[in-house]
Amino acid sequence: MIPEIGHFSLALALALAIVQGVLPLLGASRGNLVWMQSAQSSAMGQVVFVGLAFAALMRSFVVSDFTVLNVVENSHSLKPILFKIAGTWGSHEGSLLLWVLILTVFGASVALFGSNIPAETKARVLSIQAWISVGFLSFLLFTSNPFERVFPPPANGSDLNPLLQDVGLAMHPPLLYFGYVGFSIVFSFAVAALLEGRVDAAWARWVRPWTLAAWISLTAGIALGSWWAYYELGWGGWWFWDPVENVSFMPWLMGTALLHSAIVTEKRDAFKSWTILLAILTFSLSLLGTFIVRSGLLTSVHAFAVDPERGLYILGLLGLSIGGSLALYAWRAPEMEGGGLFRPVSREAGLLLNNLILAAATGTVLFGTLYPLLLEALTGDKISVGPPFFNAAFVPMMLVLVLFMGVGPFLSWKRADIAGVLQRVRFIALLCVAAALVLWYVQTGAPVLAYVAVAAALWLLLATLREWALRIKLFVAPLTESARRARAVPRAAHGMTLAHAGLAVIILGMVGSSAWKSEEIAFVRPGDRVEIAGFEVLFEGVEQRRGPNYFADQGRLKVWRNGSYVTTLLPERRSYPVARSTTTESAIRSTLAGDLYASITEPASDAAAEGGAWTLRILYEPLVNFLWIGAGMLVLGGALSLSDRRLRVGAPRRARRPHPQPVE
């Protein structure tokens, strides 16, 4: 009965979404306030019904209701409760239901917290959001019903993919979806602005918090997924330029450009049509990622569906949303030009350059991701575009971006004094070059680009700290005065400083763990020793142990350095009998300087239980934890900016048109 209630709730949500998509939009065009205000109750009704459906599906997983096909295919009665809950969104149908739930949550949030948005604009935004809901709710109901029954029910399920049975990955999809779907509300604001024919500072201020919230979540989701790949998959890497990694990275890049462009629209009434275009493209890239993951184009642990019919449905949604919005943009955007003028050397010009580089980088990743798929579709030839292409094409653009990021905050609006800016940062530039040369002398063997990247990271970090110090007059005024100035600085400015510094820390982690990584792969028996990066590792053997729904071969490694005992590492190779698959559980000794990383794989002979050799992989990853620290700084910087009171309650109220009167 509970699954039927969930299914019926989705049907009611679809009906409400259709009403919300039509009635408020008509009300905005006719000046009918009652019709416009209906969007708020419809949005709240949607989130209630979709939330009820999601709760019904989660309940089916928790109680192991094997009359539901989705539960049969993605759960097992012996699975730990956390992974039963995570199984709710571990399938195509369940993850799509989570997607729709977040979509309705954003619509309801605008309805609840958008009190400073004019009634006409709010009605249009919620109507556009409702039409997105219509697309995905109909997709759920007509092609991907999560409540489909199976009779007679089996005694047990097939279990969730063992690679997905991990705490980190249990949180990874919700964070990613919150980011993906969060950009839908920005898209709705952009289309509403095109329909209204008006973009101004107030519009940009309304859009920024939603953009920032989506960007924060997407950042956290990508970082968590990278961390999961690092410690769970056993290969010792954190990014592989996999197509499904790329489809989450592209909206992040474009969303970063959108954040900076909206600042110019708000502060200087410029970049209006460009900001609108970025809002459309950012959500379009989120939809493109949905199509790639769910269309059957890819076979990956990330991919959910392999049904081409579902792919065609999403492709239709993609064509309608992207094609329709871009056609509307081509029609209305020319009317939105204008705004503040600025010189080639100014903060506006710096942010424009930031946007252009990020857009070019997104295009590069898009080309590298889609080209193999298009080539295979047209010719049948299969090629792989991997790290060599992306590193050669993407990294140089990012280094140029980092160079200008260090200077950008020093520039003033409209016109900047380039000589004065260079005067403030020239010592930092010399210090970074000297540091790179010293590193080259001390730590040879890495590519030249690695030393350049270290210099660029130090440049961004020190320039960012220098700008913050100048802002509060640190070491110039008394500390009490500097503290007073720091409290007076808007939180958004502190957030920018923290986020830029976080990016510098991430770059240091990327370079250190890539350019100076050490790796040893050996066949070992009990008593064998392996040396790596100054560590001596003793393999003591393997013992069997049993988990809740798996069996494990657990290796035991003792680690010494300079004759002193350091730690014991316990890597595992797990076997899941229900899912009929194995996974590698790495063991990691983490420090700020670097990680000692160990994993064991298939034994080199069938006589493993009798002392046969095991394949042991040992890596030393310098500075790899800087990646997670820097990502945390990005998220914290974004959250600090989001908490700025100006974004929460201080949005300017635009000059209103005559307020529509209720129609009798």
Side-chain angles (χ1 to χ4, degrees), residues 9-10 45-57 97 101 104:
S9 296
L10 287 180
Q46 268 196 78
V47 78
V48 168
F49 287 125
V50 177
L52 184 61
F54 189 80
L57 183 61
L97 181 55
L101 176 62
T104 58

Side-chain angles (χ1 to χ4, degrees), residues 597-630:
Y597 182 107
S599 64
I600 58 172
T601 55
E602 294 284 351
S605 72
D606 294 334
E610 302 174 4
W614 288 76
T615 304
L616 175 64
R617 191 178 190 206
I618 301 283
L619 300 98
Y620 183 68
E621 303 258 8
L623 304 182
V624 69
N625 289 302
F626 280 36
L627 286 166
W628 329 127
I629 294 171

Side-chain angles (χ1 to χ4, degrees), residues 23 43 47 51 58 108 136 246 265 273 359 393 477 507:
L23 196 60
V47 78
M58 182 177 291
F136 281 96
N246 294 347
T265 303
S273 61
I507 295 172

Side-chain angles (χ1 to χ4, degrees), residues 210-390:
W210 304 105
T211 307
L212 198 52
W215 182 88
I216 291 168
S217 184
L218 190 55
T219 303
I222 292 172
L224 193 58
S226 179
W227 182 53
W228 166 80
Y230 173 68
Y231 74 79
E232 175 68 20
L233 297 184
W235 62 292
W238 42 267
W239 193 263
F240 194 64
W241 293 107
D242 181 273
V244 184
E245 293 173 340
N246 294 347
V247 298
S248 66
F249 190 41
M250 289 186 289
W252 186 88
L253 289 170
M254 199 62 79
T256 304
L258 173 61
L259 272 177
H260 292 82
S261 182
I263 293 173
V264 183
T265 303
E266 177 192 341
K267 301 288 186 182
R268 296 285 299 134
D269 200 32
F271 296 5
K272 295 179 182 179
S273 61
W274 176 244
T275 303
I276 292 286
L277 180 60
L278 287 176
I280 293 172
L281 293 179
T282 301
F283 183 58
S284 298
L285 288 169
S286 295
L287 292 179
L288 178 64
T290 304
F291 168 68
I292 290 177
V293 172
R294 300 173 189 274
S295 62
L297 289 177
L298 299 175
T299 301
S300 166
V301 68
H302 305 83
F304 284 110
V306 294
D307 186 350
E309 292 184 2
R310 291 173 175 173
L312 288 175
Y313 197 104
I314 299 178
L315 190 61
L317 292 178
L318 201 66
L320 284 173
S321 56
I322 298 177
S325 59
L326 289 179
L328 182 62
Y329 174 81
W331 175 36
R332 302 301 296 269
E335 304 171 9
M336 298 182 180
E337 288 305 325
L341 300 176
F342 56 90
R343 293 291 182 89
V345 180
S346 62
R347 181 166 293 192
E348 293 95 325
L351 290 171
L352 178 60
L353 183 62
N354 160 291
N355 274 214
L356 293 176
I357 294 175
L358 286 171
T362 305
T364 300
V365 177
L366 181 64
F367 173 78
T369 303
L370 295 185
Y371 178 70
L373 302 177
L374 293 174
L375 184 66
E376 182 179 355
L378 295 175
T379 67
D381 297 333
K382 293 186 177 182
I383 66 169
S384 175
V385 176
F389 166 78
F390 290 106

